Amino acid sequence: MHVRTLSCRVLHFLLNHGDVASCNPCFRRHDAATLLVRCAVRGYYNTGKPRFPGPSGATHVRVVDLRSDTVTKPGPAMRQAMAEAEVGDDVMGEDPTVNDLQKIAADMFGMEAALFVPSGTMGNLIAVMVHCRERGDEVIVGDLSHLHIYEQGGSAQLAGVHSTTVTTRSDGTFDLKQLESKIRHGYPDPHYPRSRLICVENTHNIQGGRVLPLHFLQDVRAVADHYGLSVHMDGARVMNAAVAQGVPVATILQHTHTVSVCLSKGLGSPVGSMLAGPQDFISRAVRCRKALGGGMRQVGVLAAAGKVSLQEMVGRLEDDHRNAKAFALALLEYNPFLFGVEMAAVETNILRFQIKDPTLSPQEFCTRMSQVGEGEEEALGQGLQVLMYPHFENSIRAVWHLGISPEDTQLAIQKMQFVAFQHLNQKAGVH
């Protein structure tokens, strides 16, 4: 195996400051010399100011923020659209920009109507409230779903709706037989909740941005129709799924009754999600939104950003997918004994990878990536702070978005190589 992605600066540092072979047993000095000609061209992107001072007092520090696609910031075109937005009172249904956004979303999603809401969490909660009309109704969710883990149990806390779970598989799906076994029968038997709703998540966050297969969604809908249940999709990143599968998003959503779609992640809006479904569903959703404090007035300034997101930002999601795959491949090419990556699972903009070395925890790796280490400026030409999070099951999560260019990705690769090289040399006792 050969290392293919080491930067020229990293290679110069490794050649002159330690045993290069220690980071990869098959890597030799002549391999490094051959790769020196493959230097990345320095560009003009700048992803932000340093958040954490480096221990060496680094003066040239660059931040590559891979913590989430929620850290995106609106660009000039989006800001201009926001500044020029025509507005009105949306609670009265009189904001023309909101009305335009809702029609654009409904048409794109293949739904009868859509509603602009402040957040994906509120959109999911409203969906549960509308589908589960009586307190004590039940929703079936994946045990690793965002709705079940990261939304504070709002279905129970605010809607009085009970949840039961099915086991989330590594690809974000779940077993259909287990799903059927969770459906309650015999209503109105007073002992049990009433099954009303099945929720799916596409792409699946915790499982690393996995795209739900269309045949799975079709099968879930068939089960729901057979038992008289509804299907809601937490589609926070469903546009990523559509791009990855090369289909219109309506092709995915034809298998659901309702969907919530975030505008403020990879699509780059500062605020907001779209909730879509049948007209009667949206009419009831308007009432729930008001009760939850989500009725906003001259909100066209935000809806204008949402229009830019849906009309101009979808195609570029493919760039995020490509950059995530490039980083994943670099992990394996550097040292497959240190990093674990399932390349087939890297389908969209979220990457989960493992640290195989028990002497290096995900927390320590993330800390080292976020700090400017000794000798880093000499090796890389600048200090780099690459921000990412420890995640489930001893893994690390990194998320690509419109704020991360291909050059930023290459810089993150260089920092990963530098951190890994230092760790392996320290472990081997090389100074």
Side-chain angles (χ1 to χ4, degrees):
M1 185 196 69
H2 295 281
V3 178
R4 298 184 183 89
T5 55
L6 283 171
S7 74
C8 55
R9 287 186 178 275
V10 173
L11 285 166
H12 275 302
F13 182 81
L14 301 188
L15 285 169
N16 297 319
H17 292 79
D19 182 5
V20 175
S22 66
C23 67
N24 189 312
C26 298
F27 187 78
R28 294 294 181 265
R29 202 175 184 87
H30 69 273
D31 296 311
T34 300
L35 291 172
L36 287 176
V37 299
R38 304 180 64 181
C39 301
V41 177
R42 187 181 301 275
Y44 58 86
Y45 294 92
N46 194 332
T47 57
K49 297 180 180 180
R51 297 169 182 260
F52 311 101
S56 60
T59 56
H60 301 92
V61 179
R62 183 159 166 175
V63 176
V64 179
D65 194 341
L66 302 177
R67 292 173 300 169
S68 176
D69 46 8
T70 61
V71 303
T72 56
K73 298 178 181 179
M78 186 175 285
R79 289 176 183 270
Q80 182 177 356
M82 295 170 69
E84 298 175 355
E86 185 180 358
V87 300
D89 192 319
D90 182 49
V91 173
M92 298 182 182
E94 298 175 355
D95 191 304
T97 308
V98 173
N99 293 339
D100 285 348
L101 171 63
Q102 291 174 166
K103 186 175 189 311
I104 290 168
D107 291 345
M108 180 180 289
F109 301 161
M111 300 286 186
E112 289 182 3
L115 182 68
F116 184 54
V117 297
S119 70
T121 294
M122 182 180 287
N124 286 336
L125 178 57
I126 291 173
V128 171
M129 293 173 71
V130 175
H131 285 298
C132 303
R133 305 178 192 180
E134 299 178 18
R135 295 181 66 86
D137 281 349
E138 187 170 71
V139 55
I140 304 172
V141 297
D143 63 344
L144 295 182
S145 66
H146 192 281
L147 195 152
H148 182 61
I149 292 179
Y150 290 127
E151 298 180 13
Q152 207 184 108
S155 297
Q157 183 182 168
L158 300 174
V161 174
H162 185 259
S163 296
T164 189
T165 62
V166 288
T167 303
T168 304
R169 297 191 290 207
S170 61
D171 62 354
T173 67
F174 39 78
D175 181 75
L176 294 176
K177 290 184 178 179
Q178 186 187 27
L179 171 64
E180 283 196 85
S181 74
K182 295 288 185 171
I183 297 173
R184 310 278 185 171
H185 304 286
Y187 180 85
D189 188 312
H191 295 91
Y192 308 112
R194 182 179 186 179
S195 298
R196 287 279 199 179
L197 179 64
I198 301 168
C199 289
V200 295
E201 182 178 334
N202 194 19
T203 65
H204 200 283
N205 178 13
I206 284 180
Q207 298 294 36
R210 298 304 301 269
V211 178
L212 300 187
L214 293 175
H215 65 80
F216 169 75
L217 295 174
Q218 184 176 11
D219 291 343
V220 170
R221 177 61 181 265
V223 171
D225 289 346
H226 181 73
Y227 292 102
L229 277 61
S230 296
V231 178
H232 172 71
M233 178 178 288
D234 176 357
R237 298 179 177 89
V238 71
M239 304 308 293
N240 292 86
V243 169
Q245 291 178 318
V247 300
V249 68
T251 299
I252 297 173
L253 299 180
Q254 67 180 317
H255 304 301
T256 70
H257 294 89
T258 58
V259 66
S260 62
V261 180
C262 276
L263 304 172
S264 58
K265 292 185 170 67
L267 298 181
S269 284
V271 177
S273 287
M274 302 307 301
L275 180 63
Q279 182 62 62
D280 63 333
F281 169 88
I282 293 299
S283 296
R284 294 196 300 271
V286 171
R287 290 184 54 81
C288 293
R289 183 185 69 174
K290 182 66 173 175
L292 294 174
M296 299 177 285
R297 301 294 177 173
Q298 288 72 32
V299 73
V301 292
L302 297 179
K307 289 176 63 177
V308 174
S309 289
L310 291 181
Q311 293 177 323
E312 301 179 20
M313 305 299 285
V314 175
R316 62 148 309 280
L317 294 175
E318 188 174 356
D319 299 337
D320 301 336
H321 302 176
R322 187 181 304 111
N323 290 333
K325 288 180 175 67
F327 189 88
L329 185 60
L331 290 169
L332 288 182
E333 290 183 333
Y334 184 75
N335 193 324
F337 302 104
L338 179 60
F339 300 111
V341 182
E342 183 184 351
M343 287 302 300
V346 187
E347 297 179 312
T348 56
N349 65 319
I350 302 177
L351 168 65
R352 278 185 64 194
F353 62 96
Q354 284 75 37
I355 304 292
K356 294 184 175 181
D357 187 340
T359 67
L360 180 63
S361 69
Q363 291 78 7
E364 183 179 358
F365 179 82
C366 290
T367 297
R368 292 189 182 189
M369 290 289 285
S370 70
Q371 296 176 344
V372 179
E374 295 294 337
E376 183 174 325
E377 283 191 284
E378 181 182 358
L380 306 181
Q382 61 184 323
L384 290 175
Q385 294 178 314
V386 179
L387 310 182
M388 52 184 69
Y389 280 141
H391 200 50
F392 272 73
E393 297 177 350
N394 205 42
S395 66
I396 294 169
R397 176 184 130 155
V399 186
W400 273 259
H401 49 81
L402 64 88
I404 304 299
S405 68
E407 185 204 6
D408 292 322
T409 302
Q410 291 303 313
L411 291 175
I413 290 171
Q414 293 174 21
K415 180 60 177 269
M416 172 273 294
Q417 294 165 349
F418 179 81
V419 169
F421 167 76
Q422 285 199 323
H423 167 73
L424 293 171
N425 270 0
Q426 290 170 1
K427 183 178 178 180
V430 177
H431 300 286

